[in-house]
Amino acid sequence: MGNDADVAITERTFPLGRDSFDPATGPTEWLWRRVMDVLRTEGEQIAARPVSAPVDLGRLRSAVGAYDFGEPAEPDVVIDELVALLRECTVHTTHPRYFGLFNPTPTLLGVVGETLAAAFNPQMAAWSHAPAAVEIENHLLRFLGGRMGYAAGQVAGSFTSGGAEANLTAVLLALTRMWPEYGTAGLRALPGRPVLYASSESHLAWLKIAHATGIGRDAVRLVPVDAGLRMDLERLKAQLDADRDAGDHPFMVVGTAGTTGAGVIDPLPELAELCREFGIRFHVDAAYGGAAALSDRLRGALTGIEQAHSITVDAHKWLSVPMGAGALLCTDGEGLAETFRVSTSYMPTDIPDTVDPYTSSQQWSRRFMGLKLFLSLAVAGRSGYAEQLERDAELADVLRRRLVDSGWLITNDTPLPVVCFADPEAEALSAGESWERHSALARSVVQSGRAWISPVRLNGRAALRACVISHRTTPEDIDELLNAVNDAHRAARPTTPESGKSEAARGRITDGDLPD
Ligand SMILES: *Cc1c(COP(=O)(O)O)cnc(C)c1O
């Protein structure tokens, strides 16, 4: 493409797809500058934009549908159009007032890592194709495992697309370890039905996993929680006994360390003990909360996690790297090899003292997920991460105090920055009415564009949920959230005098702003 190198960019000719997909040097740099402009504008403007806006589905579909891919298009034009769509039709998880699910504002180094991983595109299936990338990921797994409390030198595991795949891996490993015949002869070779236990507040990926592994959705026991939304140990024990008596085969208990709804941590040491007693597997789903292990101040909340046979932790949640990056950690490299072993003539052969990732994890060809975390961690340092995590926890404490001062009820108890709060006036309503009331409040806040929060049902009881998840969130953003929910509450105030006057008098939400 020699001549194309001289093409003036102003002619809007992008010499792509002649000899290869590679453009000439000049247009390449020009294209990257366009991308950098987008990133800069996003960073500068995001806080001033609404967190989300209503979507015109018809307009969105026709804008996307206008592309029939028949003829080449100019990249700057396509990028501008697609960026405009992304700006308009996205809940902006990169916004400082996105107080939503565990979707972070990615670190800059995470975005850079994602870009470099895409550009080098190492094939992660075989060690020999990607020695640097595999060793970088293994080093990270050992670091994370060490912070969880696993003994140095024993950590095994793999990077996954996210928490759901890591949890799937844990179940496959557990089934393989409990019943060696599972891998070859399948579930029908088992002496009875395998049963898995997680709390009713756990992440429902467990149902999909039960479906996919063939144990079936009915084999998941969603154990009731106690008043603190933690798995009820007595109920768990009774269920284990009852299932054994009925001829079923309990094989794994899941402790959730940071429930998705309320950020609550199950009683991990007690669960570990009970699993030992029953001779079954213990897995901790710390997809969100596992990040706390990076802070010396917060990691105590995870005590007991080191006794788990396996741990799920997501880098794309509280560790703030772009999606998707999760990890399964364990100390049973042999078990992973047993679960995922396979050999082919076309894959490169083993190299001593190394493991080919495709023989010890679910995926085959795989993206280099670890780079974005490695870069983020190396540049911020663990100390930088610890400070950020602790700052989030402190902002959540401030939010709780100010919500209480405004008359809201806090309905969850966790050291993690997930704040669930309810309108005390809704306590007298039926569960359905209370859900409607809280859903309407969340909708009102979201529609204002000032913040993004969601309604949540905790053990059947409705509340609002705000999670401090963006590293961009400041105390001023907490103020704005508080004002937005108080305004929503005031606007929704029934005009007729409400019943339960004494409750209302005690729990009335403050109108307007509070002094600091
Ligand atoms: C998010 C989450 C999952 C699922 O993880 P993905 O990364 O979305 O696949 C599983 N468990 C818990 C507790 C979660 O918060």
Side-chain angles (χ1 to χ4, degrees):
M1 20 175 65
N3 297 338
D4 293 336
D6 303 318
V7 168
I9 295 155
T10 47
E11 287 173 24
R12 298 181 20 96
T13 311
F14 198 75
L16 189 146
R18 302 252 178 102
D19 304 329
S20 78
F21 284 128
D22 278 335
T25 310
T28 301
E29 287 187 10
W30 163 81
L31 190 56
W32 278 116
R33 276 198 300 273
R34 299 286 300 205
V35 173
M36 272 174 53
D37 284 346
V38 171
L39 297 186
R40 188 182 320 108
T41 312
E42 281 307 294
E44 284 169 3
Q45 296 182 356
I46 187 75
R49 294 208 205 109
V51 189
S52 65
V55 171
D56 181 335
L57 181 58
R59 222 163 63 82
L60 172 59
R61 289 227 172 115
S62 68
V64 176
Y67 286 85
D68 66 0
F69 310 117
E71 295 297 324
E74 294 300 331
D76 55 330
V77 176
V78 182
I79 287 174
D80 284 353
E81 282 185 7
L82 298 187
V83 164
L85 288 182
L86 285 169
R87 262 184 203 143
E88 261 179 64
C89 307
T90 298
V91 174
H92 292 287
T93 59
T94 63
H95 197 292
R97 288 187 300 283
Y98 174 75
F99 295 100
L101 309 174
F102 301 134
N103 307 307
T105 301
T107 60
L108 175 61
L109 273 299
V111 176
V112 170
E114 193 74 316
T115 309
L116 291 174
F120 278 88
N121 202 29
Q123 168 56 283
M124 300 298 285
W127 187 94
S128 61
H129 258 54
V134 177
E135 292 297 322
I136 285 169
E137 285 196 348
N138 287 345
H139 186 64
L140 273 175
L141 293 170
R142 286 191 294 269
F143 168 77
L144 292 172
R147 291 301 299 180
M148 298 296 168
Y150 280 160
Q154 291 189 8
V155 180
S158 64
F159 273 85
T160 62
S161 57
E165 186 198 336
N167 284 344
L168 169 65
T169 302
V171 173
L172 293 171
L173 174 62
L175 288 169
T176 303
R177 276 312 201 190
M178 290 293 283
W179 295 286
E181 63 274 30
Y182 166 74
T184 41
L187 282 177
R188 63 174 178 258
L190 269 51
R193 185 166 76 131
V195 182
L196 180 153
Y197 303 77
S199 92
S200 57
E201 291 291 318
S202 67
H203 191 283
L204 292 184
W206 295 114
L207 296 179
K208 289 169 56 166
I209 290 166
H211 189 137
T213 52
I215 67 172
R217 292 170 185 242
D218 287 352
V220 178
R221 300 273 188 240
L222 295 177
V223 179
V225 292
D226 62 19
L229 302 169
R230 281 169 268 272
M231 190 174 341
D232 186 318
L233 289 165
E234 289 309 312
R235 302 287 291 270
L236 170 63
K237 196 166 174 327
Q239 188 70 56
L240 283 164
D241 284 333
D243 289 341
R244 277 222 167 138
D245 290 348
D248 286 338
H249 291 260
F251 75 101
M252 178 166 140
V253 171
V254 177
T256 305
T259 58
T260 315
V264 160
I265 299 170
D266 280 333
L268 305 182
E270 291 79 2
L271 291 178
E273 179 60 36
L274 199 63
C275 287
R276 269 195 298 277
E277 210 177 287
F278 275 78
I280 61 177
R281 307 273 304 188
F282 178 40
H283 173 74
V284 175
D285 180 0
Y288 159 64
L294 269 63
S295 151
D296 290 336
R297 253 171 59 198
L298 296 170
R299 81 198 286 205
L302 300 175
T303 298
I305 198 169
E306 72 289 348
Q307 298 176 56
H309 290 95
S310 51
I311 300 169
T312 286
V313 61
D314 263 345
H316 66 207
K317 286 185 173 169
W318 206 13
L319 291 176
S320 296
V321 305
M323 285 178 256
L328 183 281
L329 303 168
C330 66
T331 55
D332 185 13
E334 281 293 310
L336 286 177
E338 186 56 30
T339 305
F340 296 105
R341 81 186 138 82
V342 66
S343 66
T344 65
S345 58
Y346 52 81
M347 291 297 285
T349 44
D350 296 357
I351 294 180
D353 195 29
T354 69
V355 174
D356 289 329
Y358 85 104
T359 64
S360 63
S361 62
Q362 176 69 23
Q363 296 184 41
W364 200 293
S365 295
R366 175 163 79 67
R367 180 180 183 76
F368 182 15
M369 292 139 172
L371 184 59
K372 51 196 170 188
L373 179 60
F374 197 102
L375 268 175
S376 300
L377 251 174
V379 172
R382 186 182 65 74
S383 58
Y385 262 92
E387 271 172 37
Q388 179 54 47
L389 299 166
E390 290 160 16
R391 191 153 51 228
D392 287 349
E394 283 159 18
L395 285 175
D397 284 340
V398 170
L399 177 60
R400 281 186 198 99
R401 280 198 300 275
R402 303 203 51 193
L403 284 165
V404 168
D405 289 345
S406 291
W408 298 88
L409 284 176
I410 301 296
T411 61
N412 68 332
D413 178 16
T414 173
L416 307 179
V418 182
V419 182
C420 298
F421 54 105
D423 179 352
E425 289 169 8
E427 295 291 287
L429 303 176
S430 73
E433 288 166 337
S434 176
W435 175 252
E436 282 310 315
R437 164 88 57 104
H438 288 93
S439 298
L441 287 170
R443 225 172 12 249
S444 165
V445 170
V446 169
Q447 279 168 2
S448 76
R450 294 162 78 183
W452 200 98
I453 58 169
S454 52
V456 65
R457 266 195 198 91
L458 301 177
N459 204 12
R461 187 174 170 211
L464 294 170
R465 174 188 183 284
C467 175
V468 182
I469 185 75
S470 173
H471 57 81
R472 290 180 172 157
T473 304
T474 63
E476 291 71 37
D477 294 312
I478 298 292
D479 289 347
E480 179 65 4
L481 169 63
L482 189 81
N483 292 337
V485 294
N486 284 342
D487 287 350
H489 182 267
R490 186 171 38 201
R493 203 70 172 279
T495 43
T496 51
E498 72 273 31
S499 56
K501 207 61 180 156
S502 58
E503 268 291 306
R506 181 173 63 77
R508 175 159 295 157
I509 311 295
T510 310
D511 289 348
D513 298 1
L514 277 176
D516 271 308

